[in-house]
Amino acid sequence: MEFGDAMEAGWDDEESAAVLRTVGRIIKKFRERAGLTQAELGAAIGYSEEQVSSVERGRRAPKGQFLLDADRVLDAGGVIAELKKDVEEARYPKKVRDLRKLEGEAVEICAYDNSVINGLLQTEAYLRAVFASRRPAFSEEEMERLVAARLARQSVLNSTHGLPAFSFILDEAVLRRCVGGKMVLRRQLERMLDVGQMRNVEVQVLPLDQEDNAGLGGPFHLLRLKEGTTVVYNEVQRLSRLISEPKEVQLLELRYGIIRAQALPPRKSLALIKKVLGET
């Protein structure tokens, strides 16, 4: 479920498009107030007239430096510069934004993975290797958007609005799959050991020699939300779905509990991760 966050990286959702149109209108308003043409603004900040026009029409997402320079040249008093965060979030594919919102509202996040390390735990080098293995390949622009989106999601691990509880269960095969090469994997395993020491995080490993494995059906997330409901996020290949139907959620909660019981306890799991690190 952590391969590609189930998305193509186009500007095809109305929410993102609306943000970009609003940003474009604000820039245009300040440009006209300053008495500059699109060509003059472009020359002042190092962009072509066509690029400025595309931004103002909401057809191109301006980079952070574009916004900072435009704010300075147009004497916008920080109004344009403050749009940087909105534009950055609009760059993320819609399904990533929706998942990030759910994770931000969760009091507990439980995840089982048997293909790659969970996205919330991935180092940048590891996640880049995961995205790079996708076929057909992502474009450079798509790759950068997906990398930025996944790194932004990881902020939930250090939330300033109350720490949610995390339970990560990984099949041992995930720890041994040499994604990105040995050095990338070593750094990833070291991160796993660090995260496993966090007081709100439990990391467990389902060993390869465990005869019973209730997780053969594939990875999934359980998100227990503040209002008391639980939803399941499930992703496979290019398809993803959010499950909220009580009977299906109950079944997957039961399955997660069984997988958790089959896995090694946290202390022994960290010892196994350290052992695999030593062998890598």
Side-chain angles (χ1 to χ4, degrees):
M1 69 184 286
E2 292 297 337
F3 182 78
D5 282 327
M7 54 300 118
E8 292 303 321
W11 301 105
D12 56 355
D13 66 90
E14 183 56 33
E15 187 177 339
S16 282
V19 170
L20 297 185
R21 287 195 297 268
T22 299
V23 169
R25 285 196 295 269
I26 292 172
I27 292 172
K28 181 179 180 180
K29 188 174 184 67
F30 276 99
R31 177 181 60 77
E32 291 176 340
R33 189 190 71 170
L36 298 179
T37 66
Q38 291 177 339
E40 289 169 337
L41 173 59
I45 63 177
Y47 287 83
S48 69
E49 179 180 0
E50 188 278 330
Q51 288 173 317
V52 174
S53 174
S54 292
V55 168
E56 289 190 352
R57 285 181 292 160
R59 299 186 63 181
R60 176 191 291 266
K63 294 184 177 180
Q65 195 59 49
F66 180 108
L67 296 171
L68 295 174
D69 291 342
D71 190 275
R72 172 178 52 79
V73 169
L74 299 177
D75 193 25
V79 173
I80 296 176
E82 288 178 1
L83 298 173
K84 182 179 177 182
K85 183 174 183 292
D86 296 307
V87 172
E88 287 176 348
E89 292 187 355
R91 286 179 179 273
Y92 308 157
K94 185 177 189 303
K95 289 182 180 179
V96 179
R97 296 199 307 272
D98 291 345
L99 180 56
R100 186 184 179 193
K101 181 180 178 182
L102 280 173
E103 289 170 338
E105 295 174 354
V107 295
E108 183 179 16
I109 297 174
C110 302
Y112 169 69
D113 291 274
N114 61 359
S115 179
V116 295
I117 301 291
N118 188 274
L120 293 177
L121 304 176
Q122 292 173 358
T123 66
E124 182 172 345
Y126 185 96
L127 69 87
R128 283 184 178 277
V130 170
F131 286 134
S133 66
R134 190 259 204 185
R135 295 295 182 273
F138 289 119
S139 69
E140 287 301 316
E141 181 182 0
E142 288 171 333
M143 173 77 83
E144 293 308 312
R145 289 182 65 202
L146 296 173
V147 168
R150 181 158 295 178
L151 292 174
R153 276 181 55 210
Q154 293 179 359
S155 64
V156 72
L157 281 169
N158 300 292
S159 173
T160 57
H161 303 292
L163 291 175
F166 294 91
S167 167
F168 296 102
I169 305 175
L170 305 168
D171 193 286
E172 183 182 344
V174 173
L175 305 177
R176 298 184 180 278
R177 183 165 291 119
C178 204
V179 175
K182 285 190 175 183
M183 289 309 299
V184 170
L185 181 58
R186 284 186 60 83
R187 297 292 177 267
Q188 180 62 63
L189 294 174
E190 289 169 352
R191 172 162 171 75
M192 296 294 299
L193 292 173
D194 290 340
V195 173
Q197 302 296 328
M198 296 173 65
R199 60 187 177 85
N200 62 318
V201 177
E202 282 192 351
V203 175
Q204 292 180 256
V205 177
L206 185 59
L208 287 170
D209 61 6
Q210 169 63 263
E211 293 184 8
D212 295 321
N213 184 340
L216 294 177
F220 60 96
H221 277 178
L222 294 173
L223 298 105
R224 297 192 170 98
L225 307 179
K226 294 174 183 176
E227 66 269 22
T229 60
T230 299
V231 295
V232 177
Y233 181 77
N234 187 34
E235 183 177 317
V236 59
Q237 296 296 337
R238 289 163 53 86
L239 302 175
S240 67
R241 63 174 182 152
L242 192 67
I243 302 169
S244 58
E245 202 282 319
K247 287 186 178 180
E248 286 197 63
V249 171
Q250 186 179 50
L251 185 151
L252 288 167
E253 284 186 303
L254 174 63
R255 183 172 299 169
Y256 192 84
I258 295 171
I259 297 171
R260 200 170 193 171
Q262 293 170 341
L264 296 173
R267 189 181 298 275
K268 289 185 178 180
S269 294
L270 294 180
L272 178 55
I273 294 173
K274 187 175 294 186
K275 178 177 181 290
V276 175
L277 175 60
E279 297 170 352
T280 302

